[in-house]
Amino acid sequence: EVQLVESGGGLVKPGGSLELSCAASGFTFGTYTMNWVRQAPGKGLEWVSLISSSSSYIYYADSVKGRFTISRDNAKNSLYLQLNSLRADDTAVYYCVRDSTTPLGYWGQGTLVTVSS
Amino acid sequence: DIQMTQSPSSLSASVGDRVTITCRASQGIGNDLGWYQQKPGKAPKRLIYAASSLQSGVPSRFSGSGSGTEFTLTISSLQPEDFATYYCLQHKSYPQYTFGQGTKLEIK
């Protein structure tokens, strides 16, 4: 069974930093493209970033480009998202999402990031 | 950027009703579309991929159709556990994926 467990969320001040982690199990992590998708409170879904299986391809939404960094460690079956220069509008639940036959097939339960002074 | 417009934004229906939700793309996306169900406080769950393929384990009362710019999600006979918010997702414009704004399905 595919399992994705996010951690690292919390309360951070504007301009601060945070690193999110996603622990994967139940599949061969190193063979799948992974994503982060976020959802602001009471709002819709927004794709944030993608990293290919070998980290050869990395992409970001314009809203986070230059501030967020996605990475992965296939030996540790883990995905990461480094969030820098955080703003109030980055407040959201962040989901770790695995591609399958097509993109965004399996989702973790999410971790909440709150940016507030 | 490809924009996805869902309608309606909210919908009231009764158990046993047939329900249809529509998603329109601002340009043709072939069949690069998925449908997701999200219940309050939970992660989204994919129901349909490639516009009309049923995700494993999803009840057959859910179906998807369409291609190009117009797509529909149909629930043939609503069950109590189907009341949730539904989103479409286009992935034609890899990797700049975009979601519809969501349709909240409520009990009448």
Side-chain angles (χ1 to χ4, degrees):
Chain A
E1 181 193 1
V2 174
Q3 288 204 342
L4 300 165
V5 180
E6 301 92 336
S7 61
L11 175 63
V12 61
K13 290 181 168 51
S17 298
L18 210 56
E19 185 180 51
L20 308 182
S21 299
C22 171
S25 60
F27 64 100
T28 306
F29 179 74
T31 62
Y32 287 93
T33 292
M34 299 294 297
N35 304 261
W36 289 98
V37 174
R38 69 182 180 182
Q39 185 172 36
K43 302 297 184 183
L45 300 163
E46 179 188 18
W47 172 81
V48 171
S49 183
L50 169 158
I51 185 167
S52 63
S53 58
S54 61
S55 304
S56 298
Y57 301 100
I58 288 175
Y59 301 99
Y60 299 96
D62 289 344
S63 58
V64 307
K65 201 173 295 182
R67 300 187 300 120
F68 291 7
T69 302
I70 192 172
S71 62
R72 64 190 296 163
D73 185 334
N74 289 343
K76 294 183 177 179
N77 292 336
S78 294
L79 176 71
Y80 305 99
L81 187 68
Q82 177 68 40
L83 292 67
N84 295 331
S85 303
L86 282 162
R87 313 186 301 222
D89 63 357
D90 294 318
T91 294
V93 174
Y94 286 74
Y95 295 102
C96 167
V97 190
R98 198 204 88 176
D99 282 0
S100 59
T101 309
T102 58
L104 306 186
Y106 295 93
W107 297 59
Q109 86 289 349
T111 187
L112 176 62
V113 172
T114 303
V115 184
S116 175
S117 55
Chain B
D1 291 4
I2 299 176
Q3 309 301 320
M4 303 301 294
T5 303
Q6 260 182 262
S7 60
S9 54
S10 64
L11 175 59
S12 293
S14 301
V15 173
D17 283 355
R18 180 183 180 91
V19 166
T20 298
I21 298 168
T22 297
C23 213
R24 289 186 174 86
S26 60
Q27 62 190 77
I29 60 170
N31 70 340
D32 291 339
L33 183 112
W35 288 98
Y36 296 79
Q37 177 194 66
Q38 186 178 32
K39 296 182 179 178
K42 300 294 187 182
K45 170 189 170 184
R46 191 166 69 179
L47 304 174
I48 301 287
Y49 64 95
S52 60
S53 295
L54 193 66
Q55 186 79 23
S56 176
V58 173
S60 59
R61 62 181 179 273
F62 292 93
S63 64
S65 65
S67 67
T69 61
E70 187 152 338
F71 302 85
T72 58
L73 172 71
T74 299
I75 310 172
S76 60
S77 178
L78 269 175
Q79 298 302 300
E81 60 268 28
D82 300 339
F83 293 94
T85 299
Y86 293 84
Y87 294 93
C88 62
L89 163 77
Q90 72 79 21
H91 54 88
K92 177 71 173 179
S93 62
Y94 171 92
Q96 300 296 333
Y97 309 138
T98 49
F99 292 89
Q101 77 275 21
T103 295
K104 187 172 184 180
L105 179 52
E106 298 175 307
I107 301 173
K108 184 183 286 184

